[in-house]
């Protein structure tokens, strides 16, 4: 199957996440980057395109011009990756969606609830697909955990504990990455809640299949002068009676990317940590803990499907990210051919993005009301 022609908005020279998306798109050979509007500065956009070997004629100064021209080209892009700061997501995605170009967008969905709702409408009105890169759902052992929960191996879920702790914003920082993430105009309502809290919330929802009914949040901005939260403690109430807690922090010294998920049901529990993603602990009540490994004995069908190499050869962050791109490629291929997307093809959607935005807004609203319980509506 020929590679899908891919464009990119954002992700120019020195942009961390743009490079990650490009690697993820290449790993399985399903995409070919052929065009880009890589920076809001024309000079940097052109320099970034040249560094990536793009045709100068397909290196654009702005995303709207790119969307218009690429939609008209016989060999124009079929999909676009949007890897800008949050406040650009809606405007960029809208231009491509209305021209029938599939969108693969970094998280969170947008910077405001108003834009999130408009983007949901744009995606629903378009024939194109919308994929949100909550990449941690691509780990094989998270697919395994999801399948084990769905098959009832844990029994009815009682407790969900999820955390995402980092330390890189423990001091005031004027770097490019810190500057936009701590700026309400570009990041949105949430600081740590939007940047990493949405990942934690999405992963817990993905694995458990539970719907969040209400939450109680306590948000802090510990670093002086910071306008957005850099730490949050959130209590969760799920439909069906399960309870949970979510902690996200970017001011926790000693933590680099400490995403951790623990799920406990009537019959068993699961524990997983992103920094050691090839191991999943499973404990049946009254039995010794079992170490399940990626690619090892007992792998479920969902995990095996997204495992690339034999057990003992580690797969990590980039491969999990690439799984989202591979799932997107499978869905785009089905769309090309007029086929239904296979049921086992899983990727975060615009609706998942809306839930993430509702989660952030609810956290802010609850914290402003001294931790009052609020719904996500």
């Amino acid at each position: 199957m020929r590679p899908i022609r891919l464009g990119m908005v954002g992700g120019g020279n020195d942009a961390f996440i743009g490079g990650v998306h490009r690697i993820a798109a290449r790993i399985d050979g399903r995409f070919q980057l052929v065009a880009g509007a890589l920076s809001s500065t024309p000079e940097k956009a052109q320099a970034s395109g040249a560094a990536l070997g793009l045709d100068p004629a397909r290196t654009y100064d702005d995303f709207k011009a790119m969307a218009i021209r690429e939609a008209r080209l016989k060999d124009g892009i079929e999909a676009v990756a949007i890897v800008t700061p949050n406040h650009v997501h809606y405007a960029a995605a809208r231009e491509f969606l209305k021209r029938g170009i599939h969108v693969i967008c970094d998280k969170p969905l947008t910077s405001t609830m108003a834009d999130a709702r408009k983007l949901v409408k744009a995606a629903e009105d378009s024939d194109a697909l919308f994929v949100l890169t909550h990449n941690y759902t691509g780990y094989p052992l998270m697919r395994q955990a999801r399948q084990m929960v769905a098959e009832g191996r844990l029994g009815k879920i009682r407790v969900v504990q999820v955390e995402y702790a980092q330390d890189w914003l423990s001091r005031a920082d004027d770097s490019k990455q810190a500057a936009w993430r701590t700026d309400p105009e570009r990041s949105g309502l949430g600081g740590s809640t939007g940047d990493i809290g949405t990942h934690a919330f999405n992963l817990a929802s993905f694995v458990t299949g539970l719907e969040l009914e209400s939450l109680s949040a306590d948000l802090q901005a510990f670093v002086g002068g910071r306008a957005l939260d850099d730490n949050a403690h959130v209590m969760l109430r799920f439909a069906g009676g399960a309870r949970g807690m979510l902690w996200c922090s970017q001011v926790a010294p000693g933590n680099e990317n400490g995403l951790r998920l623990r799920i406990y049901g009537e019959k068993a529990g699961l524990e997983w940590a992103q920094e050691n993603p090839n191991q999943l602990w499973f404990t049946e009540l009254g039995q010794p803990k079992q170490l399940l490994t990626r690619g090892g004995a007992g792998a479920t069908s969902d995990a095996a499907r997204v495992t690339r190499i034999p057990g003992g050869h580690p797969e990590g962050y980039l491969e999990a990210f690439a799984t989202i791109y591979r799932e997107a490629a499978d869905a785009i291929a089905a769309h090309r051919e007029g086929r239904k997307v296979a049921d086992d093809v899983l990727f975060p959607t615009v609706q998942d993005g809306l839930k993430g935005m509702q989660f952030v807004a609810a956290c802010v609203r609850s914290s402003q009301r001294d931790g009052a319980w609020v719904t996500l509506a």
Side-chain angles (χ1 to χ4, degrees):
M1 184 176 294
R2 64 175 171 80
I4 295 161
R5 297 184 298 275
L6 179 69
M8 181 168 282
V9 175
N13 292 343
D14 304 322
F16 161 70
I17 202 63
V20 170
H21 276 257
R22 288 190 290 270
I23 293 169
R26 289 197 304 266
I27 282 179
D28 294 308
R30 302 292 298 277
F31 292 87
Q32 180 182 5
L33 184 68
V34 297
L38 301 167
S39 176
S40 57
T41 304
E43 295 79 8
K44 186 173 180 180
Q46 293 297 323
S48 299
L52 293 171
L54 294 182
D55 180 347
R58 299 180 74 175
T59 301
Y60 301 87
D61 292 345
D62 69 84
F63 59 77
K64 185 171 183 178
M66 174 178 162
I68 292 171
R69 183 167 184 267
E70 289 294 321
R72 293 172 178 168
L73 291 175
K74 182 179 179 180
D75 62 346
I77 61 171
E78 300 166 89
V80 64
I82 297 175
V83 296
T84 65
N86 307 341
H87 69 295
V88 181
H89 290 182
Y90 165 63
R94 177 191 61 197
E95 293 299 329
F96 292 93
L97 286 170
K98 71 183 183 181
R99 293 174 174 87
I101 296 171
H102 307 293
V103 171
I104 301 169
C105 185
D106 207 51
K107 53 93 293 255
L109 188 62
T110 56
S111 60
T112 69
M113 280 301 306
D115 279 354
R117 292 191 178 98
K118 288 188 287 187
L119 185 47
V120 169
K121 179 71 162 53
E124 290 175 344
D125 289 345
S126 175
D127 185 45
L129 298 167
F130 186 96
V131 178
L132 193 69
T133 54
H134 275 303
N135 53 290
Y136 300 106
T137 64
Y139 278 112
L141 286 178
M142 289 297 87
R143 301 295 176 98
Q144 173 142 344
R146 174 188 170 95
Q147 188 171 354
M148 291 173 72
V149 169
E151 291 175 350
R153 299 277 298 278
L154 277 67
K156 184 178 180 181
I157 302 303
R158 291 172 169 171
V159 178
V160 181
Q161 302 278 111
V162 63
E163 64 184 55
Y164 199 157
Q166 301 174 331
D167 64 6
W168 73 287
L169 288 176
S170 293
R171 298 188 182 94
D173 188 338
D174 61 0
S175 70
K176 176 182 176 180
Q177 293 298 320
W180 78 259
R181 281 180 168 83
T182 57
D183 176 8
E185 293 299 316
R186 290 178 285 176
S187 185
L189 280 174
S192 66
T193 47
D195 193 21
I196 57 177
T198 51
H199 269 314
F201 171 63
N202 174 263
L203 188 65
S205 301
F206 175 80
V207 173
T208 65
L210 297 175
E211 288 290 330
L212 185 62
E213 286 191 334
S214 59
L215 61 79
S216 169
D218 184 19
L219 276 55
Q220 301 80 36
F222 280 116
V223 174
R226 186 165 286 168
L228 296 176
D229 63 271
D230 49 30
N231 187 85
H233 297 87
V234 189
M235 291 191 293
L236 310 169
R237 290 176 177 169
F238 295 98
R243 295 294 184 262
M245 289 192 292
L246 183 153
W247 171 47
C248 61
S249 181
Q250 292 174 309
V251 293
N255 289 278
E256 294 174 338
N257 268 286
L259 174 59
R260 184 180 182 188
L261 177 65
R262 291 174 287 174
I263 306 168
Y264 303 104
E266 293 174 331
K267 299 192 295 186
L270 289 171
E271 301 177 38
W272 179 83
Q274 195 266 156
E275 291 182 340
N276 195 5
N278 292 278
Q279 295 185 349
L280 175 68
W281 288 99
F282 174 58
T283 308
E284 295 181 282
L285 185 63
Q287 300 297 316
K289 294 180 73 168
Q290 300 178 51
L291 177 60
L292 308 177
T293 59
R294 183 208 51 79
T300 65
S301 57
D302 286 354
R305 181 180 162 275
V306 297
T307 295
R308 293 175 177 81
I309 53 178
H313 300 280
E315 289 189 17
Y317 174 81
L318 293 172
E319 289 87 353
F321 217 118
T323 291
I324 303 302
Y325 267 87
R326 191 168 76 182
E327 302 284 60
D330 285 345
I332 292 169
H335 187 276
R336 267 181 184 171
E337 299 163 12
R339 293 185 286 106
K340 179 181 179 293
V341 179
D343 291 339
D344 57 358
V345 172
L346 300 174
F347 55 81
T349 67
V350 72
Q351 289 295 335
D352 293 309
L354 178 62
K355 288 178 183 178
M357 292 295 297
Q358 291 171 330
F359 166 78
V360 174
C363 286
V364 172
R365 191 165 67 250
S366 171
S367 190
Q368 289 172 343
R369 294 169 55 187
D370 199 25
W373 286 93
V374 299
T375 64
L376 265 65

